[in-house]
Structure formats: structure tokens, C-alpha cells
Amino acid sequence: MDSYDTRGSTPRHSASSRLKDYFIGATPLQKRLESVRKQTSFIPTPPRRKIPQCSRLQEDNDPQKVAFLLHKQWTLYSLTPLYKFSYTNLKEYSRLLSAFIAAEKQKGLAVEVGEDFNIKVTFSTLLGMKGTQRDSEAFLVQILSKSQLPSENREHKVLWTGWFCCIFGDSLLETVSEDFTCVPLFLANGAETNTAIVGTWFQKTFDCYFSPLAINAFNLSWMAAMWTACKMDQYMAATEFLWSVPCSPQSLDISYAIHPEDAKALWDSVHKTPGEVTQEEVDLFMDCLYSHFHRHFKIHLSATRLVRVSTSVASAHTDGKIKCLWNCPDGMEFKKDLEEKRRW
Amino acid sequence: MSVLRPLDKQPGLNTATILLVGTEDALLQQLADSMLKEDCASELKVHLARSLPLPSNMNRPRIDLIMFVVNLHSKYSLRNVEESLRHVDATFFLGKVGFLATGAGRESHCSVHRSTVVRLARTYRSPLLFCDPEVDGFRVPVAQRLVRMLQICAGHVPGVSALNLLSLLRSSENPTLEDL
């Protein structure tokens, strides 16, 4: 007999009742299998993406807290669901993690001369960094150094920051049981050694796994198009692209900078449907840039690999590094949406 | 502009010719070398071309199978294949055309989404193979498959024709996709 039979749904019925069973009281495993089957039988990429409603972000968030997320380079990792993670135990986790970090540093694994071993770790939740109600709350981990000097000005210096979030993770949430918290996106800023230590602690404590998230050229071109589509009052920086040409002995890099208003004008001429971005529009936008470049330099940029995209809103590198320059709600939300959709 | 037709020439005795069309020369060369290494009762001829149409001044044998090679790392190769498809006669698509997508293994380098080539192959009702020719382990089986397909398309396998093979390959796919 089927050992996953928790609510009386057996997979031995005929096809029609089996389909019904999947919708009523299916076990998490069956749900997962069904979602995987759904994904492989249809053409996976959505040819159009909705620009999401960003009201959630604007309501709940604390502008100060979110402001510190800007102008920093974040390295992206994808994370499997955390087992038995609780938002009420954050103080406990800070204590445990501080102890772990102190122990690791004394082991001599991360040796730096003159380093301050008085480290404080804080866990805090970030309200408003989620796409839908069902998404798990985002939370932030910071490693601060405690000041040695007994002065009044006890400003803690932030050594390392990392935050976990889940945005539009609906497809993940339906396949995961209640013991698990889904925060599939992890962003880290600070020394690599600290990222590794925090990662090890999380992996040991919550039985999860981190893997670096790379952004491929296909997704970078989507990001370029969507960030150019953002309406901005004033532009801080030019829109820049970087391509890597694979050739021996060392690869060649081609950098292409456009005035941001020209890029916006180009996007507006390509964009037809309001509130939605389609694959054709993104392709057309990029093809215009490629053909313009080809006309002048006779180089086919489409044969090279897009490595970096930088706009006034944000910039992204294929190695999984992003930087948000402007708190455009559209910008941050669909950036994560892209990453999550791509991963799964 | 000359259009490739499947039956416009006499077949050579015990000869089977495949045409590989793609922008990546090194890739095509590797694939060609692997195919020629295979043990085969027929005499194999491999032609390589960057794009179609082929120059008309050459004297070439009848082409039995055309494989369009798309590199998922390069949008240019996809555009090139789409352009070249116009120079192939419709009767070729009755089992004598196939698509080969390379580079799917390195997801981080892909600029073309896998579903784009899948849609292309569906539109032209032709089989799609995935291959990473740099890896020996992948290249040899794909070369063996191509040689087998080529023998069938050239009519060297008794009882199986190119159209038979095509319907056999297509019926193994998910039936809901037939409508596309």
C-alpha cells in the first residue's frame, strides 16, 4: 500500500479520479511530482511577464531600512527551504551564530591580523520585501563589530550583511510542507569568509543548501529591457552593456554605453502592451542595439555573450552580482521574480 | 537564389550525404569527425556550410539529410539558421531535416532559451537533438544517432523510410503538443 497515503488519496484509480486527487488532499510529494510534470510538458519560458503591482513594497517598508540595501553590491545565492526555522527565535539564532562565528575565527580558519573578535550578530525581519501575502517574510542578518573603546559613541561597524527573501514564490510554496520556510534568494555583501561561515551555520542548523546563482545572458537582456522600462524622473548613469567575446588567448570585452533617455525612447517605440513585457519586445529591443552596433563596427554582438548590464535603476553581472541604485519598486521586485523563475 | 530540393539529383551508389549548417565552424568540424569515425556500411559524406543558400557553381552529391546546428550561447547562430531555413524546399521537411542544439549544458552562458529552439523544431515538424560536442561522452552517441538517421534518409535501411522515422520520433512526444 502506498506509504504516502495521508488523506486517503491513492494513485491507483483511473486517470480522471487521479487528477481529482491531485487537487484535493494531495501529499506534498505528489504535488511536487505534478508540478514538475506540468513544467516539462509545457514550453517552460513565459513569453510575457507582467510588471508586478508594487503596492506591497511601498506600504510596509521602512524607507530607512530599505535604503541601506541600495548602492551595495550583492552576491546572489539560491537556497533550498529551511527546516524548522522560526521567526520568533531570531534572538536565539543571533546568539548561536555569534558563538559559532567566534569559534570559527578562533580556530584559525579566517585569520586576519588585528581583527576584532568582539562580534555581534543581529537577525531582524525586513517588512515589505515580498511579492504576495503567502511569501515568507524577508529577514536580515548582520555581523557588527563591537567597539573596543569605552567611548560614548558606540557606533557598531557593519562588517557583513546578508538577507534572505522570497518574492512571488507561489510555485514553490505549494509543494513544500509546513515545517519548511521558503526563502530561496540569499544576497550577501561583505567578506567571502564571513559568507562562507554564515552559510555553513545555516546549512548545519536548518539542513539547507546554498548554491551560487549565475544570471545568464538571456535573463540579463530581460533585466536590461525591464529596467529601461522604468519611468524615472532623472537619470544618474548611462545605460551600459558589457559583452565578452570568446577568443583565444584571452577574451575580448566590448562595452557599449547609451544615453539613458535614448534607451528609454527606444524601449518606448518597441513596447506595445502596457503593463506587460513580452519576449518579442525584449528581442526587438536588443536586436536594435545589435544592428546599430553592427552598422558602425561590423561586429555581430549577438554572437557574443552578454556579461553585464548597468542602468540607472540597477546593474547586474552574470556571476550573480547585482547592485540596486534606485528604490524603484518595479526594479527590485521583478529582478527577484526573474531570478526565482529562472531557478526553478 | 537556389533552393535545396531533396530529389533533384541522382543518388550515388551506396553513398549518404549529410549537410551540417551552422555558424560555429569548430563545432561542426568536431561533429563531422565523430561521424566519419563511425563504422558504417554506406560511404558517408559530410558537407559543412555556414549558411544557405549554397553556392551553385559547385558539383555536389544529392543531400540526404540536413542538420541545422544552433548554439544556445549565441543568438546569431539562431538568426542564421532561421534565415537559412528559407532556402530549403518544403519537401525536405518530410524527415530529412533535423535540428541540433548545442551548449545547453552551460546554462549560465545561454542567451537563447531552450524553448525557442523547441518551438522552432515544432514549427518545422522536425526532430530536435541536444548535444555538447566538446564533451566526448555526448558527442559520440549523437554522432551515432546522426549516422543512423542519415542511413535511413538515404534509403539504405530496408523497411524504414525518412517519413517513417519522423512519425516514430514524433509519436513518442507528449500528445498534447501535437497541436502546436
Side-chain angles (χ1 to χ4, degrees), chain B residues 2-180:
Chain B
S2 63
V3 168
L4 277 178
R5 279 175 230 283
L7 299 169
D8 59 352
K9 287 195 176 126
Q10 297 279 0
L13 188 64
N14 208 32
T15 319
T17 313
I18 182 173
L19 174 65
L20 296 173
V21 180
T23 51
E24 315 275 316
D25 302 323
L27 225 87
L28 298 187
Q29 193 63 52
Q30 279 176 323
L31 211 51
D33 291 337
S34 294
M35 283 183 75
L36 292 170
K37 284 204 190 94
E38 291 297 317
D39 265 334
C40 181
S42 339
E43 191 190 313
L44 290 181
K45 286 205 166 109
V46 183
H47 281 244
L48 307 176
R50 293 209 96 220
S51 64
L52 299 177
L54 299 173
S56 47
N57 50 0
M58 299 277 297
N59 188 12
R60 67 179 67 81
R62 184 183 80 164
I63 295 185
D64 297 306
L65 174 63
I66 307 179
M67 285 301 285
F68 288 98
V69 180
V70 176
N71 185 359
L72 291 179
H73 299 179
S74 149
K75 255 193 177 160
Y76 177 61
S77 71
L78 178 68
R79 294 275 176 267
N80 180 57
V81 160
E82 285 172 352
E83 284 295 317
S84 306
L85 280 165
R86 295 195 201 149
H87 300 282
V88 178
D89 187 53
T91 45
F92 241 115
F93 292 99
L94 296 172
K96 296 196 172 189
V97 169
F99 292 90
L100 187 68
T102 66
R106 291 180 82 183
E107 173 71 30
S108 56
H109 286 232
C110 286
S111 4
V112 177
H113 201 279
R114 221 176 55 235
S115 64
T116 316
V117 262
V118 168
R119 216 177 286 130
L120 181 68
R122 296 261 155 77
T123 316
Y124 285 94
R125 302 286 196 257
S126 298
L128 173 65
L129 303 177
F130 285 92
C131 173
D132 267 335
E134 293 93 23
V135 184
D136 248 358
F138 292 143
R139 191 173 65 234
V140 170
V142 168
Q144 287 173 342
R145 281 185 84 173
L146 290 178
V147 167
R148 197 68 186 145
M149 277 174 75
L150 177 59
Q151 283 186 295
I152 293 172
C153 292
H156 295 183
V157 177
V160 189
S161 73
L163 204 50
N164 276 356
L165 179 65
L166 184 65
S167 51
L168 196 70
L169 288 175
R170 286 186 63 211
S171 65
S172 62
E173 287 168 9
N174 194 324
T176 56
L177 295 163
E178 286 288 315
D179 320 13
L180 280 169

Side-chain angles (χ1 to χ4, degrees), chain A residues 55-247:
Chain A
S55 55
R56 177 104 206 146
L57 185 61
Q58 283 173 323
E59 271 165 30
D60 293 347
N61 74 356
D62 182 7
Q64 250 183 348
K65 254 198 164 166
V66 175
F68 87 93
L69 297 174
L70 304 176
H71 300 286
K72 278 203 178 74
Q73 180 164 282
W74 300 100
T75 309
L76 303 174
Y77 295 86
S78 79
L79 184 56
T80 59
L82 303 174
Y83 183 63
K84 288 213 159 53
F85 176 85
S86 159
Y87 287 96
T88 52
N89 288 353
L90 294 183
K91 278 213 159 39
E92 178 72 16
Y93 298 148
S94 338
R95 242 183 8 90
L96 291 172
L97 185 52
S98 317
F100 185 78
I101 293 177
E104 286 290 317
K105 297 225 175 204
Q106 277 163 14
K107 254 198 242 177
L109 287 177
V111 179
E112 267 167 43
V113 177
E115 196 182 13
D116 186 3
F117 277 12
N118 288 340
I119 296 181
K120 190 167 96 116
V121 174
T122 55
F123 273 66
S124 50
T125 48
L126 277 174
L127 295 173
M129 297 303 274
K130 56 198 223 179
T132 64
Q133 274 287 15
R134 288 182 62 192
D135 288 335
S136 314
E137 284 289 347
F139 64 94
L140 178 72
V141 179
Q142 277 185 309
I143 300 180
L144 311 160
S145 69
K146 276 197 253 188
S147 169
Q148 295 275 31
L149 309 164
S151 60
E152 267 81 64
N153 181 10
R154 299 212 59 202
E155 276 280 326
H156 295 299
K157 193 168 95 130
V158 177
L159 295 176
W160 182 91
T161 318
W163 55 294
F164 298 75
C165 66
C166 175
I167 301 197
F168 295 111
D170 284 341
S171 56
L172 315 172
L173 293 169
E174 63 188 41
T175 58
V176 144
S177 69
E178 290 100 34
D179 290 332
F180 287 93
T181 312
C182 248
V183 273
L185 194 59
F186 172 58
L187 299 94
N189 170 275
E192 258 302 310
T193 48
N194 288 331
T195 312
I197 294 175
V198 174
T200 316
W201 184 79
F202 267 89
Q203 284 178 170
K204 273 201 215 160
T205 318
F206 302 111
D207 195 25
C208 58
Y209 186 73
F210 284 82
S211 52
L213 192 67
I215 311 176
N216 63 23
F218 176 76
N219 286 330
L220 281 176
S221 55
W222 264 92
M223 287 178 182
M226 293 180 97
W227 290 338
T228 311
C230 271
K231 225 192 299 267
M232 294 194 62
D233 305 319
Q234 51 165 13
Y235 293 98
M236 311 298 163
T239 303
E240 240 185 82
F241 297 85
L242 187 69
W243 281 274
S244 163
V245 184
C247 59

